[in-house]
Amino acid sequence: MDIETLRRRIDELDRQLVALISERAAAAQEIGRLKRQTDLPVYEPNRERVIFENVRTHNPGPLPDAELVHIYERIVDVMRALQRNELASSPGTASDAHQKQILKQQTGQDQ
């Protein structure tokens, strides 16, 4: 197989990954809505441990587990931020107050 053929294959795989990540993001947004309705925290370390264990369990290689988990740590971090934005979209939520407190600590100013 030549480089151009392999690059076309990578481009197709990238399109599939983008679609799957977008689908995952939509599910994360819905989870954020449900968390807001039930006053659950965005950060759930036990759930994240399950996600990372699933990644290690289902990793066929060639990436080492640690590298694949590192990629997933970033994905989970972005999804958590997406959920926080979802939570912060309702004025007066605990997340909104927390974000204002962090901003005040960082800038020394009230918003």
Side-chain angles (χ1 to χ4, degrees), residues 45-86:
N46 290 333
R47 173 62 183 144
E48 291 186 13
R49 276 192 282 281
V50 169
I51 292 169
F52 301 140
E53 183 56 36
N54 284 337
V55 167
R56 284 187 287 276
T57 299
H58 294 94
N59 180 17
L63 285 176
D65 286 353
E67 295 303 322
L68 192 56
V69 167
H70 180 70
I71 291 167
Y72 262 82
E73 286 170 343
R74 183 65 184 128
I75 290 170
V76 168
D77 188 46
V78 169
M79 298 301 163
R80 194 180 326 113
L82 183 63
Q83 286 184 0
R84 281 195 179 108
N85 287 340
E86 227 11 76

